[in-house]
Amino acid sequence: MSAERQRFLAALTEHARTWPNRIALDDGQAQLSYGELLAEIDRRRERLAALDARRVGLALDNGIDWALWDLALLSDERVAVPVPGFFSASQRKHLVASAGLDSWIGAGDEAATLGFAPSDDGAIASRTVSAPPELHAGTAKITFTSGTSGAPKGVCLDSAAMLRVAESIASLVAPLDICRHLAMLPLATLLENIGGLYVPLWLGATCHLPDTVTLGWQGASGFCPRTAMSVIESVKPQSLILVPQLLQALLAVAPEAPESLSFVAAGGARLAPALLAQAEERGWPVFEGYGLSECASVVCLNRPGEPAHGVGRPLPHAEVRLSTSGDVEIKGATMLGYLGEAPIGTWYSSGDLGRLMPYPDGERLHLDGRRRDVFITAYGRNVDPQWVESELTLQPMIAQALVHGEALDHNRALIVPRDPSADDDSLSAAITAANARLPDYARVHAWRRAAPFTPANDQLTANGRLRRRTVLEAYRDWLTAEAASIVTSTPSSATPSSYSTGAAS
C-alpha cells in the first residue's frame, strides 16, 4: 500500500472518530456521514471481491454510488476505469477491449451490448477475459483522454500519483476552511474525481454530488446556467471546479458571486484574460490552474492570498522545467504510461509551450499554446481536428475541411465542396451525416465555405497536408468570433448552421 493511500485512509478514519455525524457525501437524494463512510466502502469491497472483479468500468452518473464504488476500488487497488458519459458507442467498445474490463457498473442495458452478463450482484455485470491486456505495474485507475480521436488513449495512474495531487491541493486550500464542495463536472472527469471527491474528503468536508441533469448539463457540451445557479444557491458551497465555458455561462446569469464561495478553481482549457478579469470584478474567487491527465490532473495553481500570474506555481509535489525548445516538462505524480505503450521516463513532456517567469515568491508558469494540433474546447474536451476532418471528407460532397474549436463552446469548420455549385442545404446534410458518427463534443455546429486549400495559396503542403496555421490565420476573424449568444442545449441531431458562404478575402 502506498504511503499516500495510507494517509488518505487514515484521514477518513480520523474524520469518522472526530466528526461521526458530519455528512461526507450528499447527492440530493441520500446522505452518508463520515461515521458511516468506511463501513459502506468495506461493503462495496466485499462485493467486488466476491466476484473477483479486477478491472471495472464505472459508468454511473454523479452521485453517492459513483463515489462509493470508486473509493472501494481505490482502497483495494483494483483497477477503476471511469467511463465518460460523452463517449460514443464505438469509443466505449474501444475502452472495454483495450482495458480488458471484466466488470461493468452502470445503469440501463448498456452492459449487455458491450458483452457483459448479469452476475449474482445486481449492480455488477461481468464477462470472462481469458487474456487481458498487460497493464503497467501498480495501475489503480485508467482514465481515458476526452476523446481526441475515435480511439482515445488510456492513461494508467497509480494511487500514489492521484492521492499525492489531492494531498497537495488539500494543503493549499486548508486555510480556507472549506466545508462544502459542489461537483459541477462529471466525476468521470479526473479533475473532479481528484479535486471534487478526494480533496474534500481529505479535508473532512462534505462532497455534494447531484446528478449532471440536476446541475444543468445537457449532453457533453450543453449547459443551462440558471439551473446550475439554483443548485449553487441551494447548496451554498465554498468551492467549485469550473471549465471556462461554465464560468462564462454562470457570470452571464449571476453578476455577483454567491456569498458562500471562497475558492473556484478554473482549468481544463485556456482561460481568457478578459474572462478572468470579469470574474474578479464581480467578486468571483477564481484561481486559474494547469494540468493534464498524464500528470494526475493538476500541476500548477494560483494560490489564495497571492497575486495571480499565468497558471500559477507548481503544486508542492511537482517540478516544472522547459526544454531548449520551450516545451513544458513535468516531474512528480506522472502517469505510469499509456495503456499498451512503454513506461514513461522521470520527466513527462506535455506538448505545451510555455515560459517560467520569476516573481518575488517564486517562478510562475505562463503558457504559449501547444506544439500538437489537438485543440481544447471551452468545456475542456480535447479534440484531434484531423479525426473530425476525416469524417467530414468521407462525405462525397466534401473535398476538404478544417475544424477549429480552441476555447469555443462549439466547433466550427471550413468546408471546401467537391462541386463548387453544391447548395448549402446539401452541404449541411453532409455535415449532419458526419456528425452522426461523432460524439457530441466533437461535432461541427457552424460552418462556412472556403476556397480550396492549395500549395499555391500556401494552405497545403506539396504532399497534401494542411498548413493549419496559415489557414487559421486567413480565416481568423470568423473562426475566433464570439458566438451571438450562449448555447444552453445541444440536441443530438442538431443541424449545423452555415454562417457564411463566401471565402475569406
Side-chain angles (χ1 to χ4, degrees), residues 339-404:
L339 185 61
E341 298 185 12
I344 67 164
T346 303
W347 289 88
Y348 175 74
S349 182
S350 68
D352 294 310
L353 301 173
R355 293 163 288 131
L356 287 169
M357 305 293 290
Y359 293 93
D361 52 1
E363 287 187 325
R364 311 291 181 91
L365 177 63
H366 292 251
L367 297 176
D368 296 321
R370 278 181 300 286
R371 190 171 294 284
R372 299 173 291 192
D373 286 336
V374 171
F375 63 75
I376 304 177
T377 72
Y379 287 98
R381 309 296 182 211
N382 295 281
V383 180
D384 183 345
Q386 295 181 53
W387 165 38
V388 184
E389 291 157 4
S390 68
E391 291 290 350
L392 290 168
T393 54
L394 282 175
Q395 300 300 313
M397 298 206 60
I398 300 175
Q400 295 174 304
L402 179 138
V403 175
H404 179 71

Side-chain angles (χ1 to χ4, degrees), residues 152-410:
K153 283 188 171 185
V155 175
C156 295
L157 297 164
D158 58 16
S159 63
M162 293 183 288
L163 293 174
R164 195 174 302 140
V165 172
E167 190 172 20
S168 277
I169 298 172
S171 69
L172 296 183
V173 301
L176 299 178
D177 195 25
I178 291 171
C179 299
R180 292 181 298 280
H181 175 84
L182 173 61
M184 293 291 298
L185 305 177
L187 286 167
T189 303
L190 188 64
L191 178 59
E192 191 72 77
N193 186 181
I194 292 177
L197 180 61
Y198 300 162
V199 171
L201 290 179
W202 208 308
L203 294 169
T206 300
C207 303
H208 288 268
L209 310 171
D211 63 69
T212 51
V213 172
T214 298
L215 286 168
W217 281 97
Q218 300 159 336
S221 53
F223 179 68
C224 179
R226 295 190 186 279
T227 300
M229 279 306 305
S230 68
V231 178
I232 293 173
E233 290 165 359
S234 173
V235 171
K236 294 180 173 55
Q238 281 81 48
S239 63
L240 303 171
I241 300 171
L242 300 176
V243 293
Q245 184 61 20
L246 298 194
L247 175 60
Q248 182 180 12
L250 292 173
L251 286 174
V253 299
E256 295 184 4
E259 291 184 5
S260 64
L261 289 178
S262 57
F263 184 79
V264 177
R270 179 177 61 85
L271 187 63
L275 180 59
L276 181 59
Q278 183 183 36
E280 291 176 347
E281 288 172 3
R282 298 182 180 184
W284 286 72
V286 175
F287 298 88
E288 186 177 6
Y290 164 71
L292 53 167
S293 297
E294 289 84 350
C295 298
S297 190
V298 186
V299 174
C300 296
L301 186 66
N302 280 293
R303 270 78 155 165
E306 295 182 358
H309 297 289
V311 293
R313 288 193 284 135
L315 295 183
H317 71 272
E319 294 180 48
V320 173
R321 71 182 185 188
L322 301 178
S323 71
T324 54
S325 56
D327 292 79
V328 177
E329 298 180 338
I330 301 156
K331 177 182 177 182
T334 53
M335 67 175 176
L336 301 169
Y338 288 114
L339 185 61
E341 298 185 12
I344 67 164
T346 303
W347 289 88
Y348 175 74
S349 182
S350 68
D352 294 310
L353 301 173
R355 293 163 288 131
L356 287 169
M357 305 293 290
Y359 293 93
D361 52 1
E363 287 187 325
R364 311 291 181 91
L365 177 63
H366 292 251
L367 297 176
D368 296 321
R370 278 181 300 286
R371 190 171 294 284
R372 299 173 291 192
D373 286 336
V374 171
F375 63 75
I376 304 177
T377 72
Y379 287 98
R381 309 296 182 211
N382 295 281
V383 180
D384 183 345
Q386 295 181 53
W387 165 38
V388 184
E389 291 157 4
S390 68
E391 291 290 350
L392 290 168
T393 54
L394 282 175
Q395 300 300 313
M397 298 206 60
I398 300 175
Q400 295 174 304
L402 179 138
V403 175
H404 179 71
E406 180 68 30
L408 299 175
D409 53 359
H410 288 94

